[in-house]
Amino acid sequence: MISTTTPSIEGKRIVEYKSIVFGEVISGVNFIKDFGAGLHNIFGGRSAGYEEELIKAREEAIAEMEQRAMELGANAVIGVDIDYEVLGSGNDMLMVTASGTAVVIE
């Protein structure tokens, strides 16, 4: 499965547009990662715990989007967009959404 942010795939011809597809992931951020991130805010540096959670959520959202495209008979997704939001009363939830157009290429 090819997924790209571009509206076309160089060297490939789009023969069918299937539908817009989405992949959504909402994950909680736990106390240990919050504590570690707080220390990084005070002392500087990167928060590995948050970065790992973000990478995992993004990969899961893309995989879910691609799976939904395959279920429609597509073999590529074009125009992919990834959005990030913080949710919850304490901003303790991370939502990652991947969307794009499922297409058949040859």
Side-chain angles (χ1 to χ4, degrees):
M1 172 76 56
I2 296 173
S3 292
T4 179
T5 59
T6 60
S8 62
I9 300 170
E10 189 172 338
K12 303 290 183 183
R13 186 170 70 97
I14 297 172
V15 295
E16 186 178 358
Y17 290 83
K18 292 292 191 174
S19 181
I20 298 171
V21 288
F22 296 89
E24 302 93 0
V25 173
I26 298 176
S27 61
V29 181
N30 68 34
F31 170 75
I32 302 298
K33 290 180 184 174
D34 282 345
F35 180 74
L39 292 177
H40 285 290
N41 283 342
I42 295 170
F43 299 110
R46 296 170 62 167
S47 172
Y50 276 142
E51 287 177 4
E52 289 171 15
E53 192 66 36
L54 182 61
I55 290 166
K56 180 181 170 191
R58 182 178 60 237
E59 289 173 351
E60 288 176 4
I62 292 170
E64 184 175 296
M65 177 193 66
E66 290 175 341
Q67 178 61 40
R68 290 179 176 162
M70 284 190 287
E71 290 170 2
L72 294 173
N75 60 358
V77 182
I78 59 171
V80 173
D81 181 53
I82 300 174
D83 291 312
Y84 305 89
E85 297 290 333
V86 179
L87 305 171
S89 59
N91 291 331
D92 55 352
M93 303 291 284
L94 172 66
M95 179 176 73
V96 179
T97 304
S99 62
T101 303
V103 298
V104 176
I105 58 172
E106 56 178 33

